[in-house]
Amino acid sequence: MSRIVAAAQAVPGVQNVVVTRLERFETVEPAPGESDAEEVPAGSVLTLGPLEIARLDNDPDFPENGRLSLDLRGGR
């Protein structure tokens, strides 16, 4: 994630980059009464298991392979 944030911050005119949501894709909704994990994990690090591979395909047909959304404000 730090490379993505760094690339966004390097764009001329960008003043600030904030990660608002970083989470593992879940195929099942939490049961009633169970809380979702925090939107951004502690330390802004999504820890991967030994058999997990992080992906960011950004393909709307396969959101389980990673998705990136940008909320752009201001500018000229």
Side-chain angles (χ1 to χ4, degrees), residues 17-73:
V17 175
V18 177
V19 176
T20 57
R21 191 160 117 189
L22 174 63
E23 62 187 7
R24 186 172 273 101
F25 179 82
E26 299 292 337
T27 57
V28 188
E29 290 293 318
E34 286 185 13
S35 64
D36 259 342
E38 293 179 34
E39 287 194 356
V40 178
S44 298
V45 174
L46 185 62
T47 305
L48 299 177
L51 300 177
E52 290 183 298
I53 299 172
R55 293 181 65 166
L56 182 55
D57 294 356
N58 206 32
D59 183 341
D61 293 328
F62 299 97
E64 67 273 16
N65 293 340
R67 189 180 82 156
L68 174 66
S69 322
L70 302 173
D71 179 9
L72 308 173
R73 299 178 188 192

Side-chain angles (χ1 to χ4, degrees), residues 1-11 17:
M1 178 56 96
S2 61
R3 287 185 188 176
I4 296 167
V5 171
Q9 189 69 53
V11 173
V17 175

